[in-house]
Amino acid sequence: MPENTPHLTDELRESPFMRACRRQPAPYTPIWLMRQAGRYMPEYREVRSRMSFLELCKTPDLAAEVTVTAVERLGVDAAIIFADILLIIEPMGIELGFAGGDGPVIHNPVRSSADVDRLREVDDIASLNFVFEAIRKTRQALAPGLPLIGFCGAPFTLASYIIEGGGSKNYINTKRLMYNDSGAWHAMMALISRALTKYLNAQVDAGAQAVQLFDSWVGCLSPDDYREYVLPHTQSVISSVAPGVPVLHFGTGTAALLELMREAGGDVIGFDWRVRLDQAWERVGHDVAVMGNLDPVSLFANVEHVRAEAKKILDYAAGRPGHIFNLGHGILPETPVANVMALVERVHEG
Ligand code: CP3
């Protein structure tokens, strides 16, 4: 096995998911779902009832258990390690909490260049050993042919959380810092990117076969701002992932940014449901693989609708090698599990 991909057995290399990442034909369209281990699943809620979300992330045995349970229950073609994009901000000196169901809260957001100066360089990625341990345990417990995806937040989405202190509607604090003090902005993005590079490669060393960058909130930017303030940083992270490890690059609200995301890099570009898959694929180019893009809310309709929507997306992909089926964003907490299983089945029917 090549040194860069220490855990890539032949069986994993030839799995439908890994073949699709390389745009090679696969026996059926591989599918996995963002947030496939989560609150919509009773098994997850049971584990979660015993501890907080952060405690669960920091308990490798249980993080591995919820990862594997979701894959086995759904019959999907890849696992994604149970963790969160925000775990990496703790070693930067940011105080992170999750307020019961309301999403992340940051107690000391960065607002000024003095705050940026106080961010800690993540020299020693070992402070996130619980993630790497969860990856090792998951790799051991997963079926040998099922790839495991590691992930991180992309620099912009992480910066927006660090600055806003949580989710945001208009990203006023983020854009104010970006426009008023581009030096501080770029310094912060560079610090985040250095940490992410170490983090992703450590996930690969621990046993991940592919990695995904979630740029969930990048759609709030104009194309010019994306190019100036974001693209170089995302590009530096993606280009520093160990060669031979597929990188999936996903964002939402990105209809105006797809060509630029492609330029930033990735072997697979993820789309949300606001674009038509055939048109979006044409725009990023057929020399890259794509992922998507069912509206997560369509899973609340009846099974006939779910099946019809899945077929529509498969038709847009038209059997071209290099399509990984996914939702256009994460599964929502109230989603009926039976519909999720029906979706997986429909996609596998081809
Ligand atoms: O996909 C998976 O199954 C792996 C696990 C995973 C989680 N978060 C678990 C989680 C992944 C890949 C993430 C990524 C993540 N985290 C993103 C990017 C993807 C996206 O949806 O855009 C973002 C923006 C976050 C930040 C975050 N974490 C938010 C906004 C929230 C609250 C919203 C919510 O759904 O509760 C979280 C919490 C979180 N992350 C939960 C899970 C299962 C729910 C926590 C709980 O159990 O209460």
Side-chain angles (χ1 to χ4, degrees):
M1 283 178 241
E3 199 185 322
N4 290 326
T5 49
H7 305 270
L8 189 63
T9 59
D10 289 346
E11 193 177 1
L12 284 168
R13 189 199 316 277
E14 295 308 322
S15 64
F17 170 84
M18 294 298 284
R19 289 187 63 86
C21 288
R22 300 189 302 266
R23 289 182 299 108
Q24 292 172 335
Y28 49 85
T29 302
I31 173 172
W32 68 278
L33 304 163
M34 291 184 276
R35 298 278 184 97
Q36 61 196 18
R39 282 166 298 179
Y40 74 104
M41 209 173 251
E43 294 89 335
Y44 175 80
R45 290 197 301 271
E46 196 281 310
V47 176
R48 239 315 247 113
S49 68
R50 293 183 257 142
M51 67 193 71
S52 73
F53 173 65
L54 273 179
E55 282 169 330
L56 175 51
C57 290
K58 294 178 182 181
T59 309
D61 279 318
L62 292 176
E65 180 187 311
V66 298
T67 304
V68 175
T69 304
V71 171
E72 291 179 347
R73 176 88 190 264
L74 299 176
V76 287
D77 301 295
I80 181 161
I81 188 64
F82 187 82
D84 197 85
I85 61 165
L86 296 174
L87 298 173
I88 186 86
I89 74 179
E90 287 190 311
M92 294 176 193
I94 299 288
E95 293 154 29
L96 172 65
F98 282 86
D102 301 332
V105 200
I106 282 156
H107 305 292
N108 53 345
V110 164
R111 292 287 159 82
S112 63
S113 67
D115 293 338
V116 172
D117 290 341
R118 278 193 288 273
L119 280 175
R120 287 206 298 263
E121 183 79 28
V122 183
D123 289 316
D124 186 7
I125 202 67
S127 56
L128 292 167
N129 266 343
F130 55 88
V131 175
F132 313 134
E133 191 55 24
I135 289 177
R136 281 189 282 272
K137 288 180 184 286
T138 302
R139 190 58 277 165
Q140 279 164 16
L142 270 180
L146 266 178
L148 174 60
I149 304 168
F151 71 90
C152 69
F156 175 79
T157 291
L158 288 178
S160 80
Y161 273 111
I162 293 171
I163 294 169
E164 301 295 338
S168 176
K169 188 162 162 0
N170 292 313
Y171 299 90
I172 291 171
N173 295 302
T174 306
K175 292 184 180 181
R176 184 163 43 210
L177 182 73
M178 195 165 90
Y179 299 139
N180 283 352
D181 196 340
S182 66
W185 170 263
H186 283 295
M188 177 172 175
M189 290 287 277
L191 181 145
I192 294 171
S193 301
R194 289 190 294 274
L196 293 178
T197 298
K198 290 180 195 158
Y199 186 40
L200 288 179
N201 284 319
Q203 292 184 53
V204 170
D205 289 341
Q209 280 66 57
V211 292
Q212 174 155 328
L213 275 78
F214 286 89
D215 216 349
S216 303
W217 312 137
V218 75
C220 72
L221 294 174
S222 72
D224 287 345
D225 286 350
Y226 182 87
R227 178 178 288 290
E228 179 170 351
Y229 298 108
V230 175
L231 193 150
H233 301 287
T234 300
Q235 196 166 43
S236 91
V237 176
I238 293 176
S239 66
S240 308
V241 173
V245 177
V247 177
L248 299 90
H249 184 188
F250 165 79
T252 72
T254 54
L257 301 176
L258 291 177
E259 292 84 356
L260 291 167
M261 284 177 66
R262 170 73 213 277
E263 195 176 323
D267 302 277
V268 184
I269 306 293
F271 305 139
D272 77 7
W273 64 95
R274 298 170 184 90
V275 293
R276 226 173 73 180
L277 188 113
D278 56 336
Q279 296 172 348
W281 202 345
E282 179 94 38
R283 284 173 54 197
V284 296
H286 290 138
D287 54 346
V288 72
V290 298
M291 180 172 76
N293 66 340
L294 182 72
D295 182 347
V297 176
S298 64
L299 289 170
F300 289 81
N302 57 39
V303 171
E304 291 66 41
H305 179 81
V306 171
R307 289 180 60 88
E309 288 296 303
K311 167 145 187 355
K312 213 191 271 181
I313 290 168
L314 291 171
D315 286 347
Y316 286 140
R320 191 188 295 280
H323 175 220
I324 296 165
F325 204 106
N326 206 316
L327 304 179
H329 202 174
I331 299 191
L332 295 164
E334 313 292 326
T335 305
V337 178
N339 286 5
V340 182
M341 296 174 72
L343 171 66
V344 174
E345 208 177 286
R346 179 64 192 85
V347 171
H348 284 163
E349 284 167 22

